[in-house]
Amino acid sequence: MDRADSEFAFELRVCQWAERSWEPERADSAVLVARQLGTRRRRWDTVVIECDPAGLRRRAAFGPEALDSDLLHVVRHAPAEWSYYRDALPDPGYPWRYVREAIHAAADCDAVESRKRGNRIEIRRRHRYPDWARRIVAVENKPDLSASAARDLADQLERDVALGLADEVWVATASTDERVEPILLADLPSGAGVLTVDTDEGTAEAVWQPRSLDPSEPGTRVLDRPEDGRSAARFEYADPEWKAEKRRVIAERAYARGWRAYADTMRPDCRHFALERAESGVYPRCGAKEKTPTQSECRGGCPAFEPEPPAWRAEGWPIEGGPGSAIKRLLARRRRRRRPGLEE
């Protein structure tokens, strides 16, 4: 198996390590790992959710898909007894017609019950929505840290620490054989932790501990930071309510997506695509390129792309598909194992 020869391959190894070896703040926490999640302004490479195990199991009652902010507004505040929806739900801050649309969507996926009494829509909950996500840990992955990459990374991490949307902020980089890891010489904010990852062995070491952030306090969102060193930066405050809502949405997306959903945007139906086991885990492998392909490389326009031969799919065609469909089912099963309570 090759070393992580791209940021995507490195990212998968960080996710695999975190899923197996992350030590949460509370020993009784369950761990969910996802990738490429965040807000409209900022996307993190790896996200670790430390969960209340009982709450995580109760979350399964709402199904495997993510609940967006509109649906969360309904399911979190749905009453135990039938009530007129405008009496039961807090003012959303936007037109109520969008709330009605969310109620219909929530009822369609059995998250709430709804009925019409005269001209009034009444709702009641089917299940109480749990506060299942305890902590959110953000990890930025930079396998090779050049001087320019370090400068860009420092700015990103400073913004993450100032905003305080996550409970901890880390940067992960590939370990080297040097006595002092190069990343420790970079001018990074002291509030961010540093992980060095051995991609061959699938291990990681925390060489700098992060500062614990407090998402329940207001954060600072940096809007613009002039490069002349003299002009003042523009910023705004992020209130705790906004942060709490964004954290719930991020946790929901992590629950639905996980980190193994890469096959959904790649071509596992190519005859060269396979999953290969290494010391550090199981990863996609391109037999034509002899490496872990990136998502931009593994597509229908790839010069080496060859559809699976029909004979490979003959026994289960067209319902079960061929090896590519089997790979997707395997990854989906592994994702669901981390989410107790979901039916197979």
Side-chain angles (χ1 to χ4, degrees):
M1 180 75 178
D2 58 299
R3 292 173 60 89
D5 46 18
S6 69
E7 191 162 321
F8 171 72
F10 181 79
E11 189 173 289
L12 296 186
R13 284 155 177 78
V14 172
C15 290
Q16 179 73 76
W17 168 81
E19 188 173 82
R20 293 189 306 184
S21 305
W22 183 265
E23 296 183 4
E25 185 179 70
R26 289 180 51 172
D28 65 338
S29 290
V31 172
L32 284 184
V33 180
R35 50 180 295 271
Q36 295 298 320
L37 291 178
T39 67
R40 182 173 57 183
R41 290 187 174 94
R42 178 74 168 101
R43 178 172 292 186
W44 296 315
D45 294 333
T46 299
V47 176
V48 180
I49 311 289
E50 298 179 9
C51 313
D52 167 48
L56 181 63
R57 180 171 288 277
R58 292 198 300 273
R59 166 58 185 82
F62 295 90
E65 301 302 321
L67 302 177
D68 62 22
S69 58
D70 291 342
L71 288 175
L72 284 171
H73 180 74
V74 173
V75 301
R76 289 184 62 244
H77 299 288
E81 302 297 334
W82 288 109
S83 299
Y84 177 46
Y85 78 98
R86 292 185 67 160
D87 293 337
L89 305 178
D91 190 330
Y94 49 82
W96 283 100
R97 66 176 181 274
Y98 298 117
V99 177
R100 292 195 295 271
E101 292 175 5
I103 288 172
H104 295 317
D108 288 343
C109 63
D110 294 329
V112 300
E113 293 179 292
S114 69
R115 70 183 184 185
K116 199 166 184 180
R117 299 287 294 269
N119 292 323
R120 296 160 65 95
I121 297 175
E122 296 183 341
I123 61 172
R124 71 176 178 184
R125 67 171 179 251
R126 295 177 59 88
H127 311 280
R128 183 187 294 275
Y129 184 83
D131 291 327
W132 58 274
R134 286 173 173 163
R135 302 178 77 243
I136 296 179
V137 178
V139 183
E140 186 72 13
N141 298 317
K142 289 293 179 187
D144 299 313
L145 198 67
S146 63
S148 60
R151 286 193 298 271
D152 294 339
L153 184 61
D155 181 67
Q156 292 174 347
L157 296 176
E158 285 175 0
R159 292 169 186 259
D160 290 340
V161 171
L163 182 58
L165 183 59
D167 295 86
E168 290 178 2
V169 175
W170 292 79
V171 56
T173 191
S175 59
T176 69
D177 296 328
E178 300 184 31
R179 185 174 62 86
V180 178
E181 293 288 349
I183 194 169
L184 293 177
L185 303 178
D187 188 18
L188 301 179
S190 60
V194 176
L195 286 168
T196 54
V197 181
D198 186 323
T199 56
D200 290 331
E201 298 297 326
T203 59
E205 180 184 3
V207 295
W208 185 269
Q209 292 293 333
R211 185 172 81 239
S212 292
L213 308 176
D214 189 354
S216 66
E217 292 293 323
T220 302
R221 186 184 296 111
V222 180
L223 302 177
D224 180 47
R225 177 175 291 153
E227 299 180 358
D228 58 16
R230 297 184 302 274
S231 303
R234 291 193 307 113
F235 64 91
E236 64 182 13
Y237 289 111
D239 63 75
E241 291 77 15
W242 177 87
K243 291 166 64 173
E245 178 185 353
K246 290 301 178 185
R247 285 166 60 86
R248 283 190 289 267
V249 171
I250 290 170
E252 279 291 319
R253 290 174 180 167
Y255 184 89
R257 187 183 305 178
W259 64 272
R260 294 181 175 88
Y262 53 80
D264 294 339
T265 55
M266 300 175 81
R267 295 305 302 262
D269 58 335
C270 174
R271 69 182 302 158
H272 300 297
F273 190 98
L275 292 180
E276 187 165 283
R277 181 177 296 278
E279 188 71 24
S280 56
V282 177
Y283 307 102
R285 174 81 173 179
C286 175
K289 298 181 175 66
E290 297 186 346
K291 67 172 187 176
T292 299
T294 66
Q295 290 173 294
S296 61
E297 290 174 329
C298 188
R299 52 190 174 83
C302 171
F305 174 73
E306 294 183 43
E308 296 171 341
W312 290 9
R313 304 191 298 263
E315 293 184 3
W317 177 262
I319 297 175
E320 295 182 6
S325 296
I327 286 173
K328 285 189 174 183
R329 291 195 297 270
L330 172 63
L331 294 174
R333 285 197 301 270
R334 294 198 171 196
R335 183 166 63 242
R336 292 169 81 96
R337 286 176 189 169
R338 310 296 299 191
R339 291 143 182 82
L342 288 179
E343 297 179 1
E344 286 294 335

